[in-house]
Amino acid sequence: MPALSDGTSLPDVGFGTYPLRGDEGTQAVLSALDLGYRLIDTAVNYQNEDAVGRALAQTDVPRDEIVVTTKIPGRDHGFDETLASFDRSAAALGLDVIDLYLIHWPNPSVDKYVDTFRAMVRLKEEGRVRSVGVSNFTPEFLTRVADATGVMPAVNQVEIHPFFPQTELRAFHAEHGIVTEAWSPLGKAAPVKESAPVAEAAQAHGVTPAQVILRWHLQLGAVPIPKSGNPGRQRENLDLAGFTLTDDEVAAITALGRPDGRLFDGDPNTHEEM
Ligand SMILES: NC(=O)c1ccc[n+]([C@@H]2O[C@H](COP(=O)([O-])OP(=O)(O)OC[C@H]3O[C@@H](n4cnc5c(N)ncnc54)[C@H](OP(=O)(O)O)[C@@H]3O)[C@@H](O)[C@H]2O)c1
């Protein structure tokens, strides 16, 4: 249970919902909750807050056990725009309180992420948001929002998988009490899973390559949010407690990292999403 700087905590593993939508999305989230996931990751731009909301309304899992995350899109950056965007997200999700509210991408050329974060801090002060964080932020952007608002984001959700382990950014997070969430934690599966250190560790521990990669995230101190629409793979991705990777195995998987290891050109300094 990684502890957040604001006194709350996150489950060890979350459930990614992109691109699950509509009834398929609702069923996938219901299945994930049933299997034990307690951190659900959605975003305005996934166009599935309504599908997630229907699952939250239908599940037997008590609301206070679930950490619901959503993310503000670039087109809603700005102080007043963020307050209005929050109201739309809360309505779509059918919630009064959003547990973890993130800025999806910093969009530095637009330069409104500081005002956006200021509005999120207001929502937290009003009790409508439990924890405020960001996604795809560099140390420079994190420092700027903290200096401007006096609040360091509790979470930074970034691309991390064996081909892109983000060692320096994770060290910055550790130094500043920021919890790292890992998106595309499996590197969207195929090539990462077939890499020798992953396959060898899977064989050594009698688990699947996906379980090795997710266990690697836990041992790095990151919170992975794997997506699966398949209940069997959802279960597999949560079943990580029965083995521990050796330090050498962790190091060999981290050594798969390479400068061009991103899945797409998702450098937050240049990649912008509205
Ligand atoms: N903040 C951001 O900018 C950002 C960007 C991208 C993603 N995200 C979040 O991160 C979540 C996860 O990222 P992602 O979906 O891109 O990538 P991912 O979780 O690394 O990979 C998902 C892919 O792996 C497959 N898979 C899942 N579990 C598996 C297993 N045990 N064995 C084999 N294959 C497996 C899934 O297929 P099946 O469904 O068929 O199992 C799917 O094709 C997203 O859903 C989203 O919530 C955030």
Side-chain angles (χ1 to χ4, degrees), residues 41 46 135-136 157 184 186 188 227-229 233 236-237:
D41 186 81
Y46 300 169
S135 180
N136 301 303
Q157 182 185 117
S184 293
L186 300 170
K188 289 199 183 275
K227 170 265 172 186
S228 179
R233 288 190 286 279
E236 177 185 327
N237 294 346

Side-chain angles (χ1 to χ4, degrees), residues 8 24-25 37 60 64 72 79 84 102 122 124 149 154 166 188 226 235 239 241 244 253 264 273:
T8 66
E24 180 200 21
Y37 288 88
D60 294 334
D64 63 3
I72 304 167
F79 191 91
L102 307 180
R122 163 81 68 86
K124 178 170 163 53
T149 65
Q166 300 254 39
K188 289 199 183 275
R235 185 194 305 273
D239 182 15
T244 304
I253 296 168
F264 64 98
E273 289 189 7

Side-chain angles (χ1 to χ4, degrees), residues 160-162 182 185-186 212-224:
I160 299 183
H161 43 75
L186 300 170
V212 166
I213 296 168
L214 295 170
R215 182 75 213 182
W216 170 81
H217 283 280
L218 301 193
Q219 292 184 222
L220 293 183
V223 176

Side-chain angles (χ1 to χ4, degrees), residues 40 42 52 56 63 66-70 93 95 98-100:
I40 307 295
T42 177
V52 171
L56 295 171
R63 170 69 187 98
I66 307 170
V67 179
V68 180
T69 307
T70 195
L93 287 161
L95 300 177
I98 290 175
D99 303 291
L100 178 59

